[in-house]
Amino acid sequence: MIVSDAHRFVFIHVPKCAGTTVRGALADYHDQPKIFWGHEEVEPLGRIDLAHLTQAELRAAFPEMAERVERYAAFAVARDPMDRFLSAVGQRMAHLHKRDLVFADPAELRGAAQDVIDRLAAGESTAPPDMTFFKRQVDFMRLDGKTLVETVVPLERLDMLEDALAELLPTRPSFTCKQNVRIDPERRAPGPGPADRIAPGLARAVRRVLPRGLRRRAAAALWPRGHDAVRLLMRDGGIRSFVQSHFAADFDLYAEACKAAMSRPRRPDPGEG
């Protein structure tokens, strides 16, 4: 989360919605003594993820920050819930098992997704570090039926967030994180790729060296087997049914953000003719 008293705005960091990139670009505007990052014991909630605080958590642990959300211009990014769920499953695999999503086979990925579904269906808390990425997006925007974050842009339209913040800041921010390209569930990968048998260090190198906008495309070319597993999971009826039910409010939120974006033409990239 980024909070600026000087420019009277708050950026709410929703997990798996380009938050790290956006907050990185806005970091210099955060003028609070508290940095909202990492995990910490905070009364009355216990150990929490400071980077990804829902409105309820913010009000309970940092009421002075919650009050700013209501008074200042508040911004957030929303993402297609199915894409976000699968991305979060991959994040959890990396967190728990040091296993990169691009190396996953269909059975492994489906098992990881089913484990999350079982825990969510049982009503387990999303506070633990390995579950924080499965918090509902809507809980970052609303509380007790009241919308607290008025400006919510779809992940595919970060240019709209740049436009909105440019009205408040001395210089226009630039968010280059447009790498979350939607995966086409109907497109099947041809089989093992050229990097399937190379050490996982290559995957880390891809993440370090390539610009964010190229990482997923490079990974899909180098490790089609892992991306094929993701596409298969997207077509799994049981998983889709659970995600559509459990995150129903998020689907509505994302649809609203996309509808608003349709009335705003995309700003041409610099250099386009």
Side-chain angles (χ1 to χ4, degrees):
M1 184 170 67
I2 297 293
V3 182
S4 172
D5 286 335
H7 300 284
R8 298 179 65 83
F9 82 89
V10 179
F11 170 70
I12 301 296
H13 187 165
V14 183
K16 308 307 297 178
C17 293
T20 300
T21 292
V22 173
R23 68 179 292 152
L26 299 176
D28 289 344
Y29 296 109
H30 185 78
D31 52 17
Q32 308 300 309
K34 184 72 176 177
I35 304 298
F36 292 94
W37 190 259
H39 296 85
E40 188 175 301
E41 292 286 339
V42 178
E43 293 295 334
L45 300 177
R47 188 168 183 78
I48 59 174
D49 179 357
L50 294 177
H52 307 113
L53 294 170
T54 66
Q55 292 301 320
E57 292 169 334
L58 195 62
R59 178 176 291 182
F62 303 99
E64 71 285 1
M65 294 296 111
E67 188 266 341
R68 284 172 169 80
V69 174
E70 296 198 53
R71 286 196 297 116
Y72 292 175
F75 305 90
V77 178
R79 184 177 183 180
D80 175 89
M82 189 67 192
D83 283 355
R84 178 177 180 261
F85 177 79
L86 295 178
S87 179
V89 169
Q91 183 82 17
R92 186 170 182 264
M93 288 175 62
H95 177 81
L96 290 181
H97 308 298
K98 310 302 179 186
R99 176 71 164 161
D100 199 296
L101 179 64
V102 298
F103 296 108
D105 58 51
E108 179 182 16
L109 190 55
R110 194 189 191 292
Q114 191 61 52
D115 181 53
V116 170
I117 288 173
D118 291 344
R119 292 182 64 178
L120 292 175
E124 290 192 23
S125 171
T126 53
D130 67 309
M131 293 296 289
T132 192
F133 296 106
F134 300 96
K135 294 176 179 179
R136 290 182 174 92
Q137 297 178 68
V138 71
D139 292 337
F140 291 84
M141 324 293 186
R142 303 168 186 165
L143 182 64
D144 298 333
K146 180 180 180 181
T147 297
L148 301 176
V149 180
E150 294 291 347
T151 303
V152 179
V153 305
L155 179 63
E156 298 84 354
R157 292 297 309 274
L158 293 184
D159 59 299
M160 291 176 57
L161 185 58
E162 295 173 353
D163 289 343
L165 284 165
E167 298 180 6
L168 301 175
L169 304 178
T171 59
R172 182 189 190 86
S174 177
F175 309 130
T176 58
C177 181
K178 302 188 175 62
Q179 84 279 18
N180 298 97
V181 179
R182 296 187 56 147
I183 301 169
D184 180 1
E186 299 305 322
R187 180 185 172 194
R188 294 297 304 275
D196 275 338
R197 301 184 182 278
I198 298 177
L202 182 57
R204 292 192 293 271
V206 166
R207 288 195 297 270
R208 284 197 307 268
V209 176
L210 290 182
R212 287 181 177 270
L214 297 178
R215 291 177 191 175
R216 174 167 285 180
R217 292 180 178 86
L222 291 170
W223 295 281
R225 179 174 295 169
H227 282 258
D228 194 33
V230 174
R231 295 185 188 102
L232 288 171
L233 203 63
M234 291 190 76
R235 296 200 298 269
D236 186 295
I239 292 175
R240 292 196 68 87
S241 177
F242 175 84
V243 173
Q244 289 168 352
S245 174
H246 187 80
F247 297 100
D250 286 355
F251 278 95
D252 292 340
L253 174 76
Y254 178 70
E256 291 171 9
C258 288
K259 183 178 179 180
M262 289 177 65
S263 64
R264 297 278 300 276
R266 187 183 297 273
R267 178 171 48 83
D269 291 332
E272 283 189 346

